[in-house]
Amino acid sequence: MAEPIEFYFDFASPYGYFASLQIDALAAKHGRTVTWRPVLLGAIFKVTGMKPNLQQPLRGEYLQHDATRIARLLRCPFTFPASTPVNPVAASRAYWWRFAEDPESAKAIARALYHAHWGEGRDIGDADTVAEIAGSTGLDPTAVSAGLQDQAVKDRLRAETDRAIERGVFGSPFVLVGDEPFWGWDRLDMVDRWLATGGW
Amino acid sequence: MAEPIEFYFDFASPYGYFASLQIDALAAKHGRTVTWRPVLLGAIFKVTGMKPNLQQPLRGEYLQHDATRIARLLRCPFTFPASTPVNPVAASRAYWWRFAEDPESAKAIARALYHAHWGEGRDIGDADTVAEIAGSTGLDPTAVSAGLQDQAVKDRLRAETDRAIERGVFGSPFVLVGDEPFWGWDRLDMVDRWLATGGW
């Protein structure tokens, strides 16, 4: 069986949210599965010298308009959060804490967090909120809170971010089909074509 | 009749080149025409604080890979130029010099310049080369050379770039359908849908 597609994203990224709604179904069409890998774009931007898109003059306004337009197109829940970019550390740690035990349950956490932030506009930047939202997927919030403080979890998130940089990941979403890189929600069509044809 | 679609681009942008191969046919499907508007992204980057994509770590390598992959997909001539980003000033002036007299002839110049640079990998950064390539579209190279030094032409390029900033243009290609902005070659599908539906 072919190896899973890798889906890198940052919880602060609206385009990562849109991709999260589509990537598993897209892969399944081609008999493939997806490993989700939340990372910290802030650390990656230190390498690339980029700034968060939404903080750039002209580009920030456009991206807010563009994201809202995509949400209307996809007919998905969307509320631009009052405070962006949100700090993705606690959310990412919740994912990697759960991933070690049950990757599918970790995906459920990620979906709930993305929905809360980009679907409903909630701030998911603090540990208590993350524990509550992760708890809503059927886990014990107290266990989540403890997991967020686990040194192994903190190390895993750092290692995953480092590994992303090594693999050339510099934005969100970023999909790897084997070693073939695709940056951006607007490359999902190309990922689809790549999976269908085996590349060109 | 509906107003022309506006197609902003920089000659140093490979994605602008790809869009230049498709935008007129795309618009014609919907009974629309296109006004091409080459501008200087370097001046725009001073406003946004961005750097040329190809000079960014990780991102630069990806973009070279991505552009080559798109060229294979479109089956269009493509040669990554030895020196990028090229200085687009002379090429842009040639366009605006001719535009004042005959916009369609100016488009032919732009196509020839884009083909030379991104299709064949030629350096189009100096005035003599630009005059020669523009001359190949049936114009007198000496007249082109004189036009490149025309103060009104220099002023027009500066004014067009300023106007682009006012309209929120921050990258290449950048398409405006009325006031609706679309950034990137990968938004052409969305431009197509927008023209077909009148927006959503």
Side-chain angles (χ1 to χ4, degrees), chain A residues 37-103:
Chain A
R37 296 194 177 280
V39 291
L40 303 178
L41 269 191
I44 295 174
F45 285 167
K46 284 181 188 159
V47 175
T48 60
M50 293 171 70
K51 284 189 297 186
N53 299 333
L54 288 164
Q55 292 178 7
Q56 293 173 11
L58 303 185
R59 195 172 176 189
E61 286 172 58
Y62 171 81
L63 291 185
Q64 186 157 349
H65 179 82
D66 185 54
T68 306
R69 180 171 62 190
I70 291 170
R72 290 199 309 270
L73 187 63
L74 302 181
R75 299 176 187 273
C76 67
F78 191 74
T79 308
F80 213 90
S83 63
T84 68
V86 73
N87 183 333
V89 170
S92 305
R93 285 181 184 163
Y95 177 90
W96 287 113
W97 163 71
R98 189 65 186 154
F99 181 85
E101 198 164 330
D102 181 348

